[in-house]
Amino acid sequence: GGDASRLRPIIPGGRDEIPCVQGVQRDRLAAFPYNRSIGERLPGTPHACSPDNHEANSMDMPVNVFKRKIATPDVAYGAWLSASSASTAEALGCAGYDFLVVDMEHSPIEFPQVVEILRAIAGTPASPMTRVPWNDMVMIKRALDAGAQTLLLPLIQDADEARRAVAYTRYPPDGVRGVAGMQRAGRYGMVANYARHAADELCVVVQIETVTALAQLERIAEVPGVDSIFIGPSDLAASMGHLGDI
């Protein structure tokens, strides 16, 4: 944190060449975190659900492939998802994009649909980016507990708002995220030490959408925990007096 030059831009939309989906899928499956199985229980070994066997059958922390992608020189290409259909999300996820924006701000997608959409995208080469409706502690907490790891936060105006956004994603003492023992993000208690290591796999993307925010761009980018800056062209154009002219 603290170095604006480390941030990578994100380019939503298509590209001239989308790499072979099968090739992308092979690379992504190799990095998939869901690679442990219980298998057959040998005589004398504890049952999978036994407290004595909990550590042996614990799950790995889900890996945020998107966060690693934008830390490289490669450009991440994505598409917008405004439909609440998990099947649509799955189809787009198989099309070769690096990420899909699950838009809760300007669409009817609600938390029950978000969970199903995240599940659908998890089986594809794409990574989900969940845009919550507002920079709100409760909404961010619910999105994270539902399993979102990359958040897009709208209408961040200055460094203080960016700091609050980051704090909403972190557990105490680094932030104010509420702690739940059993939630989808921690695979219902099966990810060992989830609360201690959750922040390592979180990606915070803030939106610059006004002239005011544009003037504060460097200070916003310097906030520790802000991983990327996303320019919102429609609202920024409106703020500049060019409503609908983008």
Side-chain angles (χ1 to χ4, degrees), residues 95-107:
Y97 293 107
D98 297 303
F99 69 97
L100 298 174
V101 178
V102 183
D103 188 9
M104 298 183 69
E105 183 187 12
H106 290 295
S107 83

Side-chain angles (χ1 to χ4, degrees), residues 92-190:
L92 276 175
C94 292
Y97 293 107
D98 297 303
F99 69 97
L100 298 174
V101 178
V102 183
D103 188 9
M104 298 183 69
E105 183 187 12
H106 290 295
S107 83
I109 298 176
E110 298 290 350
F111 281 111
Q113 289 87 37
V114 167
V115 172
E116 297 306 318
I117 289 170
L118 293 179
R119 286 192 182 120
I121 297 174
T124 76
S127 294
M129 176 190 296
T130 305
R131 178 163 76 168
V132 293
W134 193 246
N135 184 22
D136 175 82
M137 180 174 67
V138 175
M139 290 179 180
I140 289 172
K141 173 177 62 178
R142 295 189 67 189
L144 294 176
D145 285 351
Q149 289 185 301
T150 298
L151 294 181
L152 179 59
L153 305 171
L155 205 65
I156 300 299
Q157 295 284 72
D158 54 38
D160 286 339
E161 290 190 6
R163 275 188 284 270
R164 286 198 294 272
V166 173
Y168 296 156
T169 69
R170 267 54 171 177
Y171 289 118
D174 301 315
V176 294
R177 179 182 174 186
V179 182
M182 296 285 288
Q183 90 286 73
R184 183 174 182 271
R187 297 302 177 259
Y188 308 100
M190 294 304 293

Side-chain angles (χ1 to χ4, degrees), residues 19-29 125:
C20 172
V21 174
Q22 291 182 341
V24 174
Q25 197 163 12
R26 284 196 297 270
D27 295 341
R28 292 295 300 277
L29 287 175

